[in-house]
């Protein structure tokens, strides 16, 4: 289906890959590399990836004697942002 902006892709499985509704998808047309990345995430399993990111985060933060400096804190925060974004994709 085309909109005034042309045919677009929605990551949401509830919708046809040809339908685009910004209020539902909240994203632009993915590039081929972005589409491939999202397909690999879906193939791997979003829930498993979220669990893995949380496990690495918690292990690095709570189960190691290594010092956590500013750089490490930012890396752990980036992991948290990534799994929270994946959780949001899963809800859509």
């Amino acid at each position: 289906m085309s909109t005034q902006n042309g045919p677009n892709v929605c990551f949401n499985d509830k919708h046809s890959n040809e339908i685009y509704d910004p209020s539902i998808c909240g994203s632009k047309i993915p590039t081929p590399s972005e589409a491939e990345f999202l397909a690999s995430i879906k193939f791997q399993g979003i829930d498993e990836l979220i669990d893995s990111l949380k496990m690495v985060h918690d292990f690095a933060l709570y189960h190691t004697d290594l010092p956590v400096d500013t750089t490490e804190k930012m890396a752990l925060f980036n992991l948290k942002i990534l799994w929270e974004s994946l959780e949001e994709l899963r809800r859509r």
Side-chain angles (χ1 to χ4, degrees):
M1 178 177 198
S2 293
T3 64
Q4 69 267 16
N5 297 332
N8 294 317
V9 177
C10 178
F11 181 70
N12 193 338
D13 284 336
K14 297 175 188 172
H15 303 283
S16 167
N17 286 344
E18 296 178 359
I19 297 175
Y20 174 74
D21 182 353
S23 65
I24 296 171
C25 299
S27 62
K28 302 179 225 175
I29 300 171
T31 65
S33 60
E34 290 170 336
E36 184 179 337
F37 175 71
L38 293 174
S40 67
I41 287 174
K42 290 171 74 175
F43 178 78
Q44 178 66 29
I46 292 176
D47 291 330
E48 290 81 7
L49 186 55
I50 291 168
D51 290 342
S52 296
L53 291 169
K54 287 180 178 180
M55 184 184 308
V56 169
H57 173 274
D58 291 347
F59 182 77
L61 190 58
Y62 303 118
H63 302 288
T64 185
D65 293 332
L66 298 174
V68 179
D69 213 3
T70 304
T71 305
E72 290 83 9
K73 287 179 184 177
M74 283 304 301
L76 291 171
F77 182 68
N78 290 337
L79 281 177
K80 186 174 189 289
I81 289 173
L82 183 57
W83 91 59
E84 287 175 347
S85 298
L86 288 170
E87 288 173 336
E88 182 64 30
L89 282 176
R90 181 182 61 194
R91 282 185 230 129
R92 292 181 182 185

